[in-house]
């Protein structure tokens, strides 16, 4: 499903269930030794997805542990991003020769809990969400904004190794299926030019909101 909002060079592996019998590497086992069952299942299935994607890229299965601030550590030749929510797990990978970064997020297609939009959205974003909701009340635009922000953070972090607050990107959603996140803080520099915005795509399907950002590698 998520491949619909990513360039063809991105390798996608996703799952709508937690298949029985999946195993982890010992390094990964350590990370979920004390985790509740739900966390263990999502962690295991998404790593299985990631190894499928690595396999498609011709890369042998390796442990995928969490590094700084929870970011996954990938083999040197790839960038990637993972997401999991109820009923969905996905790993998206690409070669460093093709992508500078990837960021993906999935959420249940349901309104955000009371108070969350106020906590994560800028005033201008709230105004735009209200307008989108008035035009299309069947879509949970507040949840979509949240997911877009999570994708922005997951794409941002591997480039910067820095925190990005919810108020530090101003996201404009185009109901046709895209969004632009304007960075309100200095962004990473790619190929000598500062990155000032991230462009993403979204889809709403199968009871899920899914967002994705991919930034191409800079030649040279
Ligand atoms: C880290 C975060 C983005 C995860 O998003 P989420 O919707 O809670 O959960 P998801 O299931 O979609 O994603 C979890 C996966 O994100 C990845 N992830 C975690 N931290 C990450 C980071 N710093 N950078 C990149 N990816 C990260 C991991 O692969 C994780 O799965 P794993 O723990 O099994 O390895 C979120 O919890 C968070 O901390 N957000 C605050 C920062 C933010 O969103 N700022 C907004 C900027 S506009």
């Amino acid at each position: 499903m998520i491949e619909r909002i990513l360039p063809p060079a991105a390798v996608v592996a996703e799952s709508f269930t937690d298949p029985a019998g999946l195993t982890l590497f010992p390094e990964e086992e350590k990370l979920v030794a004390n985790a509740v069952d739900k966390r263990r299942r999502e962690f295991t299935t998404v790593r299985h997805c990631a190894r499928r994607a690595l396999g498609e890229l011709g890369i042998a299965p390796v442990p995928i542990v969490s590094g700084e601030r929870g970011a996954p550590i990938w083999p040197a030749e790839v960038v990637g991003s993972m997401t999991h929510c109820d009923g969905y797990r996905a790993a998206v990978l690409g070669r460093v020769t093709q992508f500078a970064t990837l960021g993906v997020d999935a959420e249940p297609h349901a309104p955000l809990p009371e108070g969350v939009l106020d906590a994560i959205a800028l005033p201008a974003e709230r105004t735009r969400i209200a307008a989108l909701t008035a035009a299309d009340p069947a879509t949970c635009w507040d949840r979509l904004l949240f997911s877009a922000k999570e994708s922005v953070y997951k794409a941002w972090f591997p480039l910067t190794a820095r925190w990005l607050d919810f108020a530090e990107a101003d996201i404009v959603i185009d109901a046709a299926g895209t969004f632009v996140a304007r960075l309100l803080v200095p962004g990473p520099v790619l190929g000598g030019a500062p990155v000032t915005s991230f462009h993403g795509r979204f889809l709403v399907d199968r009871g899920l909101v899914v967002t994705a950002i991919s930034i191409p590698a800079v030649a040279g």
Side-chain angles (χ1 to χ4, degrees):
M1 178 169 90
I2 199 170
E3 74 284 351
R4 284 157 44 195
I5 53 169
L6 282 157
V11 177
V12 165
E14 61 188 357
S15 180
F16 296 88
T17 61
D18 292 316
L22 301 182
T23 53
L24 292 172
F25 281 89
E27 299 91 323
E28 296 169 335
E29 280 285 354
K30 274 190 220 155
L31 299 178
V32 284
N34 300 316
V36 296
D37 184 56
K38 179 178 183 291
R39 170 63 178 146
R40 195 182 170 79
R41 283 190 284 109
E42 66 181 23
F43 181 97
T44 304
T45 305
V46 84
R47 278 162 176 75
H48 178 71
C49 292
R51 285 191 264 281
R52 272 167 41 208
L54 284 174
E56 278 192 45
L57 288 165
I59 299 169
V62 289
I64 300 149
V65 296
S66 310
E68 205 184 341
R69 284 190 185 267
I73 300 177
W74 300 107
E77 55 272 54
V78 299
V79 292
S81 182
M82 296 188 284
T83 185
H84 25 57
C85 69
D86 278 352
Y88 188 67
R89 288 85 172 82
V92 175
L93 271 67
R95 292 195 180 279
V96 292
T97 48
Q98 289 177 298
F99 295 100
T101 190
L102 292 162
V104 297
D105 185 75
E107 299 284 329
H109 184 219
L112 288 173
E114 188 72 36
V116 175
L117 184 65
D118 287 345
I120 62 117
L122 297 163
E125 290 174 327
R126 287 203 292 272
T127 302
R128 293 193 291 264
I129 292 300
L132 287 162
T133 305
D136 172 9
T139 299
C140 300
W141 298 101
D142 56 346
R143 184 71 73 160
L144 177 51
L145 179 72
F146 179 74
S147 179
K149 292 214 175 210
E150 300 292 59
S151 278
V152 167
Y153 182 66
K154 292 183 196 176
W156 156 277
F157 191 81
L159 295 175
T160 61
R162 292 205 312 268
W163 172 254
L164 184 70
D165 199 75
F166 285 100
E168 292 177 329
D170 184 8
I171 297 186
V172 177
I173 297 168
D174 180 333
T178 62
F179 61 90
V180 179
R182 187 167 55 89
L183 299 173
L184 304 179
V185 292
V189 175
L190 282 181
V195 176
T196 56
S197 59
F198 286 0
H199 293 252
R201 295 174 65 190
F202 71 89
L203 63 80
V204 180
D205 198 6
R206 298 179 70 144
L208 299 165
V209 171
V210 185
T211 53
I213 292 169
S214 62
I215 301 188
V218 179

